[in-house]
Amino acid sequence: MRKDSEEMCDSSNCFPLQAMESAKLETVCIFGTGDFGRSLGLKLLQCGYSVIFGSRNPKSSNLVPKGAEILNHAEAAKKSAIIIIAVHREHYDFLRGLADVLKGKVLVDVSNNLKINQYPESNADYLAGLLPGCKVVKAFNTVSAWALQSGTLDASRQVFLCGNDAKAKEAVMEIARSLGLMPLDQGSLLAANEIENYPLQLFPMWRLPCYICAVFTVLIFLYCLVTEVFHPLATRKEDTSYLIAISIPNRVFPVVSLILLALCYLPGILAAIIQLYKGTKYSRFPDWLDQWMLCRKQLGLVALAYAFLHAIYTLVMPIRYYVRWWTNSYLITQIKDNATYPFSNYYAWLSDSYVALGILGFFFYVLLGITSLPSVSNAVNWREFRFVQSKLGYLTLVLCTAHTLFYGGDRFIFGPFYRWYLPPVFVVSLIIPCAVLAMKFILIIPCLDQKITRIRQGWERKSKTANMNC
């Protein structure tokens, strides 16, 4: 392990990624020689800073980057006005003995906890209480050692920071900019708890979409299980459990995908209805609607993933044993009956239309997913992004809904497809999309559309009381 670290420091990674200035920048002190402390020190050296490491055992700490000086904590602190505390909160007690040396200096707390809200106060607040004479800034805790070693190319460049001293924050922000990072000031140390919790959150914006997707997946799967497995077993003693592997999933994925796509546009319609009802855009939406609107992007990407699964499952259909057996059995039946079923122009059009609408719908689905990527969305202006996500989004919903309608064909009215009086699953899948499209069609009626546009431009409907006062 030590040998690998020494080789890392001797490698070309130790040379600056950016051209050094002729004069070195200010000196930065780092308390802690762990993975993050060494990676941050190496990056600072590459950007032209003088780096001093403070360690309990300077002589035994031989893994620091080449070019950095290593001293005990007190001596290292005297040589720099900015000290990065790269140790865990449990080891902060040694700083009490350095209170006089650290007085008036900028302490940058980079620590994280093992779980959200692990302590009553944030680590930065604890450090500020421990050393009241210092200027504490919370920063760099959202950047990993790996991101620093790889040139911050494989991770987010954003660095959240907060502190009570404006000059101290500006000094730390300048260091972050020199490292090629993007500092974002979050205010006073009151924001430190939120900043420390941020790296511990596991896909916070994906939870609600995943919960919604999981609920619909389970419900539709159970529905298909009842109509396609339990019903034949109960009525005809026929075992169709083999459908669980391919056929039923290939019904669940497109149904849930279509429902999720409709749910991406339903909150915008509900918001428009609320604005119409209240006659203003300055009234706050309910919390559930706010959360729903914030996760629409993630909801759409989950829907796209299910559409991909549907496309893959559909492609493997012809190689299934059941399909090949059914095709052969169909041909043998015609031979035995000495009858050839005539070609139906109606079913040919129905089949080709169903497939063509599916291909077009999937194409626009993928287009929506691509434009939601940050690298793509940042390259288009607001009007272009809105056109793709709104106009083409509704076009995608129309195409996918029509794809399902053509798939059903005349089976909507055939009694045998309604098992135990339950409609086929493709009928169930159309309830929410058709409701969304119907409401959208009503809202784009010129009189309503113009009123919504005026409200969103700041117009407000005067109340009866206001009218009486006038």
Side-chain angles (χ1 to χ4, degrees), residues 23-323:
K24 283 191 174 182
L25 300 174
E26 62 183 300
T27 300
V28 177
C29 175
I30 300 177
F31 282 3
T33 55
D35 290 339
F36 185 82
R38 294 199 309 271
S39 300
L40 184 58
L42 175 60
K43 189 68 177 175
L44 288 167
L45 285 169
Q46 291 173 346
C47 294
Y49 286 89
S50 296
V51 178
I52 300 175
F53 281 91
S55 175
R56 291 172 297 177
N57 302 305
K59 294 182 180 180
S60 62
S61 299
N62 56 357
L63 297 179
V64 298
K66 186 175 292 184
E69 188 177 0
I70 182 163
L71 303 170
N72 62 46
H73 290 121
E75 293 176 347
K78 291 176 182 178
K79 293 192 174 185
S80 177
I82 299 178
I83 302 170
I84 298 174
I85 312 297
V87 297
H88 292 289
R89 172 175 173 151
E90 306 89 74
H91 307 302
Y92 281 179
D93 289 339
F94 79 92
L95 296 171
R96 294 179 187 271
L98 302 172
D100 293 336
V101 180
L102 298 176
K103 189 173 183 179
K105 296 184 181 292
V106 177
L107 301 186
V108 184
D109 179 58
V110 301
S111 63
N112 280 319
N113 296 318
L114 296 177
K115 58 183 181 180
I116 294 177
N117 297 326
Q118 183 173 354
Y119 299 101
E121 73 284 297
S122 67
N123 295 348
D125 282 323
Y126 175 73
L127 182 61
L130 199 65
L131 300 166
C134 299
K135 305 169 185 177
V136 177
V137 176
K138 183 72 186 184
F140 296 114
N141 68 303
T142 56
V143 182
S144 66
W146 166 252
L148 292 169
Q149 291 174 12
S150 61
T152 67
L153 297 177
D154 299 326
S156 173
R157 294 176 182 268
Q158 292 182 341
V159 173
F160 300 103
L161 58 86
C162 65
N164 296 331
D165 189 281
K167 291 184 178 179
K169 284 195 293 183
E170 185 56 40
V172 177
M173 291 170 71
E174 186 59 35
I175 293 176
R177 293 189 192 100
S178 300
L179 299 182
L181 301 169
M182 184 187 300
L184 297 175
D185 189 352
Q186 300 297 299
S188 69
L189 274 184
L190 294 174
N193 195 57
E194 182 181 353
I195 294 175
E196 290 175 4
N197 287 335
Y198 181 78
L200 302 175
Q201 295 176 350
L202 186 63
F203 304 116
M205 297 302 297
W206 289 86
R207 290 180 184 174
L208 182 58
C210 288
Y211 289 153
I212 295 173
C213 178
V215 169
F216 276 109
T217 300
V218 171
L219 291 177
I220 298 300
F221 179 81
L222 292 175
Y223 190 91
C224 293
L225 209 62
V226 169
T227 57
E228 300 191 35
V229 177
F230 294 160
H231 179 270
L233 187 63
T235 57
R236 303 191 303 268
K237 305 300 181 183
E238 181 182 351
D239 183 11
T240 58
S241 58
Y242 58 87
L243 297 176
I244 295 176
I246 299 291
S247 295
I248 290 181
N250 199 34
R251 303 202 198 289
V252 173
F253 293 141
V255 168
V256 176
S257 178
L258 182 59
I259 292 174
L260 294 183
L261 180 61
L263 291 179
C264 290
Y265 295 97
L266 182 56
I269 292 174
L270 296 178
I273 293 173
I274 291 174
Q275 289 176 339
L276 274 174
Y277 174 74
K278 295 186 175 181
T280 178
K281 72 171 185 177
Y282 300 107
S283 177
R284 184 179 178 83
F285 294 132
D287 290 339
W288 59 268
L289 185 57
D290 275 334
Q291 294 179 5
W292 190 354
M293 295 182 73
L294 288 174
C295 72
R296 286 180 294 178
K297 174 183 174 180
Q298 290 76 13
L299 204 61
L301 291 175
V302 174
L304 176 59
Y306 267 44
F308 262 109
L309 287 173
H310 171 51
I312 294 171
Y313 269 69
T314 302
L315 290 175
V316 303
M317 281 291 181
I319 65 174
R320 294 176 61 206
Y321 167 78
Y322 165 72
V323 174

